[in-house]
Structures are given as structure tokens and as C-alpha cells.
Amino acid sequence: MSKVAVIGGGIVGVATAYELAKLGEDVVLFEKNYSGSGSTFRCATGIRAQFTDEANVRLMKYSIERWEKLEEELGFDINFRQTGYLFLATSEEEVEAFKSNIRLQNRFGVPTRLIDMDEAKEIVPILNTEPFLAGAWNPKDGKANPFKTLFAYLFRAKEMGVDAREHTEVVGFEREGDEITAVKYRSKGKVERVKVDAVLNAANAWAPVINEMVGLKRDIVPIKAYKHQLIKTEPLERGQVEPLVCPPSWNDAYIIQDGEDGGVICGAGIEHEAKSLNDVEPTYDFLRGALRYALMMAPPLKYAHVIRQWAGFYAKTPDRNPAIGKLLNNFYIAAGFSGHGFMMAPAVAQAVAELMVKGRSKVPLDWGWYDPYRFERGELRTSAFQIG
Ligand SMILES: Cc1cc2nc3c(=O)[nH]c(=O)nc-3n(C[C@H](O)[C@H](O)[C@H](O)COP(=O)(O)OP(=O)(O)OC[C@H]3O[C@@H](n4cnc5c(N)ncnc54)[C@H](O)[C@@H]3O)c2cc1C
């Protein structure tokens, strides 16, 4: 059994701590604030295999298979529901692009199909079909409750002996050559150290700070924090907008009914580079812009009250694909998840834990695609479709 430190108590860190414990590792999990306080508790709940490249389609196909069994495995209600994702095309060129994406997704067993607006209206009764020509529909995509999912993973991880330390910030490392030998952390104002055999950087937007602490270049994995926001309405009768509905050409705007209370979550690609890693102040331009798109998609929403607006980070690499893999002999990273870290977590956590313990994984994760050193080599991937 080796001692593994996981840095970051978001869904990726917590799920990986759980997977490491399953493999018999002695895990200490550091979270500088409270678990989920980074991007995870601010996300839009969405889970999809509708990506536009092979690596992300295959990873998400597998991740959804894990999601399907997660309630049973973790023994908690996490409110995972396969209510689908519906992308909407506004031009003939987009319909052609959808067809090509569908062919790719079908090739890897994702059952997306092109649907007409009559069928779209059956799926989303309050949809304004008029601006749209066709939809890309995958009924296996879905949503889950981020709070319940993270707590379920954390509960089971602790049960298996994971030492989860909240309000405990990693502040430094001890290193011999390419090996990290100890992690230094601050808790209740006191700095202490723990000897470790391996470390995972799962700090997402904060990952470059951790890389720098280790003695790597801060931008070896160039992750930047972008402020993304959501608005939520009061609860509506269920069944109005159960899938995530998104016309990508409308600035990636989307709506989805929260699986928990039926409020409609409205998002859009109206983003701001974060002024600092504390900048989660919601903005008025987002409120106006996101609501305008939401009402164009579903006009009856004008009768619903907005009850909340909040912001969090999309931690973005230049190609919007995460960095997953090894940075030094015993120092690993899984960070930079843009708008898709929640949905990927079950697959990524398993893959990373297996990589750290066994040196290989049975998860269909293309290590070359997500290679953390690709930026240094100037090898960007095609941009991952980024919305939630
Ligand atoms: C508005 C919005 C909507 C989104 N919608 C979706 C969606 O629908 N579907 C989806 O899949 N994804 C979505 N995302 C993205 C998703 O939230 C993230 O990709 C995911 O939560 C990343 O998880 P993580 O564990 O990597 O990072 P985080 O949840 O950010 O966790 C990283 C943690 O590291 C901790 N940390 C940092 N530095 C230190 C340190 N020195 N010591 C100890 N701890 C430290 C932080 O406090 C933080 O809690 C959305 C994001 C936003 C903002």
C-alpha cells in the first residue's frame, strides 16, 4: 500500500480518492476550502456523450456507463436521470455538421440521431421550434445532482479510510529529482508535512499554482480561469425542459430543468476571464444575455421568476481538453476540465487511479490526446465542444 496525496476536493479529486481507496491505497485528500466549493457545486448538472471528436466521445460513452451504475455502487440517490441532450441547428451548414457528428458518435455506440421539430416539441413542450431546422438528440445523455454525487463519493471514500481534510491548503512540496517526497499543508494556521509516495494535482483552475509549487513551469499546463454563470428560475411543473437544450450558434446558450426541484437553469457562453482566482461575482450582462436566449428558446419562461444567479470557473486549456497524465515520476495531473469535468469524473477518476497504481487502465481514455505535455510541444487538439 502506498501513500497518495490528492490535491483538490472537487468531483475529480474526491472521485479519484474513492477509486484509489478501492485499489487499496492509503489516501490523504486536501481541500483548501470545503469539498465542492470550486467549480463542482456551481455546475449545470449536465452529462453528455455528444462530443465532436473520438477521444471525448469514447471517454464519455464509458463515463455514462459508469453513471448508470453509480447510484447502486455508491448506495446513495444521486438523482442521475437520462433525460437527453438536444442540440438545435439554425442553418443548413449546421445540419450537415450535426449529421457528421452523429455519424462519429454512432460509430462508437452513442445512439444520437437527427430529429425534426415535431419530435423536438414532443420532448420539450415549451420549445419555440420556429428558428430551428433540426435537432441532434441523444436520449442517453442526462443530468445528476452535483452535491449528492460528490457527497456520495466522499462518504464512501471516507468509509474506506480516505483521510479527507477540508480547510487544509497545500502550500509546498519536498522533492528529490523527479520524485515528490512530501506535501506541506496549512491547517488552522499551522504548516505541517506528510511523506507521500505519489501526488495527484486535481486543483482544476488552481492547478498551475500547484505545478509551480512543485517546481515546474507555471504554464506547463496553461490553464486559465474563465468566469461562467448560471441563472435559475423558480420551480416549474416537471417535463417542460427535461433535456439540456442548446442551439450552439446562439453563443452556446442552453436551458435545462434541474432534476431536483424543476427550476430552469439557463447558461450561455457569455464568459469573462476571471480577474483573480476569487473572482466569482455574477454580472448583469450575463443575466440579460442568458435570459434573452432562454426566452427565444422557450417563450413561456417569461412568466417564471428568476431566483438565483451564480458564477464559477471554466478552467480552460487552449484546446479546452483537460490535461490528464503524468508530469513527473510520481506527480500526476487531472485538471483543466472546461465545462465538462462533472460528467467526465467517473471515467477519469477510475482511469487516473488505475494509472497511478497499476501503470495502465482499462478505461478507454486516450492518454496521448490528454497528454499534459502537449502544450509545451505545441500540439493542440481540436477544440472540445465546451458547454455543460
Ligand atoms: C457555470 C458552470 C456550469 C458548468 N456546467 C457543467 C455541466 O453541466 N457538466 C459538467 O460536466 N461540467 C460543468 N461545469 C464544469 C465543472 O463544474 C468542472 O469541470 C468540474 O466541477 C471540475 O471538477 P474538479 O474537481 O476538477 O475541480 P473543482 O471542483 O474546481 O475542484 C478543485 C478544488 O481544488 C481546491 N484547491 C485549489 N488549490 C488548493 C490547494 N492549494 N490545496 C487544497 N485544495 C486546493 C479548490 O478549493 C477546489 O475545491 C460547469 C462549470 C461552471 C462554472
Side-chain angles (χ1 to χ4, degrees):
M1 187 200 276
S2 29
K3 180 94 180 172
V4 183
V6 175
I7 305 166
I11 192 68
V12 173
V14 171
T16 310
Y18 163 84
E19 296 287 347
L20 285 164
K22 256 171 60 180
L23 294 173
E25 297 297 270
D26 174 15
V27 185
V28 53
L29 169 66
F30 294 105
E31 167 51 54
K32 71 183 169 80
N33 200 339
Y34 59 89
S35 306
S37 60
S39 297
T40 299
F41 284 173
R42 299 160 195 272
C43 88
T45 76
I47 297 166
R48 70 183 152 99
Q50 290 195 64
F51 276 83
T52 53
D53 60 84
E54 177 177 336
N56 285 310
V57 171
R58 293 186 67 216
L59 182 69
M60 275 313 301
K61 162 94 172 24
Y62 183 83
S63 202
I64 289 175
E65 286 163 15
R66 286 291 317 263
W67 277 105
E68 285 169 347
K69 300 191 195 98
L70 213 52
E71 275 195 5
E72 199 188 325
E73 176 176 338
L74 298 175
F76 281 100
D77 163 25
I78 56 169
N79 212 348
F80 172 66
R81 298 282 179 273
Q82 286 174 296
T83 45
Y85 261 56
L86 176 61
F87 288 106
L88 295 164
T90 55
S91 67
E92 287 300 343
E93 296 78 65
E94 221 181 357
V95 175
E96 289 311 308
F98 278 18
K99 285 184 186 162
S100 138
N101 294 338
I102 289 170
R103 276 196 297 275
L104 172 83
Q105 290 157 17
N106 291 170
R107 194 141 55 87
F108 297 104
V110 176
T112 316
R113 57 192 176 83
L114 201 70
I115 62 169
D116 63 20
M117 284 305 105
D118 289 341
E119 191 172 352
K121 185 87 180 165
E122 277 168 30
I123 297 167
V124 183
I126 60 173
L127 182 68
N128 170 25
T129 54
E130 197 261 323
F132 307 117
L133 301 181
W137 168 242
N138 176 15
K140 291 247 178 189
D141 289 341
K143 56 193 173 191
N145 181 315
F147 300 89
K148 290 181 173 176
T149 307
L150 184 136
F151 287 135
Y153 267 122
L154 189 59
F155 187 92
R156 293 299 171 211
K158 285 183 181 169
E159 205 174 50
M160 286 188 291
V162 170
D163 176 8
R165 304 191 185 187
E166 296 189 317
H167 304 286
T168 304
E169 182 174 9
V170 169
V171 292
F173 296 89
E174 288 169 20
R175 182 175 155 184
E176 284 169 21
D178 274 354
E179 296 275 334
I180 310 283
T181 54
V183 175
K184 293 191 220 163
Y185 59 92
R186 182 169 37 231
S187 175
K188 298 189 180 133
K190 230 171 101 192
V191 175
E192 295 184 68
R193 68 191 274 282
V194 57
K195 285 174 95 175
V196 291
D197 300 302
V199 178
L200 172 67
N201 178 356
N204 206 33
W206 294 265
V209 181
I210 302 294
N211 288 342
E212 196 174 36
M213 276 182 207
V214 163
L216 293 163
K217 279 192 282 184
R218 190 182 176 106
D219 65 352
I220 192 90
V221 179
I223 294 172
K224 267 195 192 158
Y226 288 86
K227 188 151 73 172
H228 269 251
Q229 303 178 50
L230 293 171
I231 287 162
K232 191 169 165 187
T233 72
E234 63 190 321
L236 299 193
E237 187 189 334
R238 290 238 70 97
Q240 306 304 309
V241 199
E242 291 297 345
L244 189 143
V245 179
C246 170
S249 65
W250 291 2
N251 200 358
D252 289 344
Y254 59 93
I255 51 176
I256 179 172
Q257 238 175 321
D258 189 309
E260 220 45 68
D261 63 10
V264 177
I265 296 172
C266 312
I270 302 164
E271 70 177 8
H272 303 269
E273 194 174 329
K275 293 189 194 104
S276 74
L277 290 171
N278 297 313
D279 175 18
V280 284
E281 183 90 18
T283 62
Y284 183 60
D285 66 329
F286 177 83
L287 179 72
R288 267 183 31 175
L291 282 182
R292 192 170 74 86
Y293 288 125
L295 295 186
M296 281 157 63
M297 270 184 261
L301 284 181
K302 71 178 175 210
Y303 300 111
H305 293 102
V306 170
I307 55 167
R308 266 191 78 196
Q309 179 183 0
W310 68 95
F313 298 137
Y314 272 26
K316 296 208 300 197
T317 64
D319 60 19
R320 299 171 179 175
N321 286 285
I324 307 172
K326 198 188 255 205
L327 280 171
L328 294 171
N329 268 357
N330 64 348
F331 179 62
Y332 299 79
I333 185 166
F337 283 93
S338 191
H340 33 258
F342 177 61
M343 62 181 81
M344 287 181 172
V348 168
Q350 182 191 342
V352 170
E354 287 175 352
L355 177 74
M356 292 178 80
V357 177
K358 302 176 182 167
R360 70 198 135 71
S361 168
K362 59 175 194 280
V363 177
L365 184 147
D366 181 342
W367 299 101
W369 183 267
Y370 301 108
D371 182 355
Y373 278 110
R374 68 184 183 274
F375 309 103
E376 191 162 72
R377 293 198 303 270
E379 273 176 29
L380 294 196
R381 310 298 175 223
T382 51
S383 192
F385 187 46
Q386 71 167 357
I387 73 139

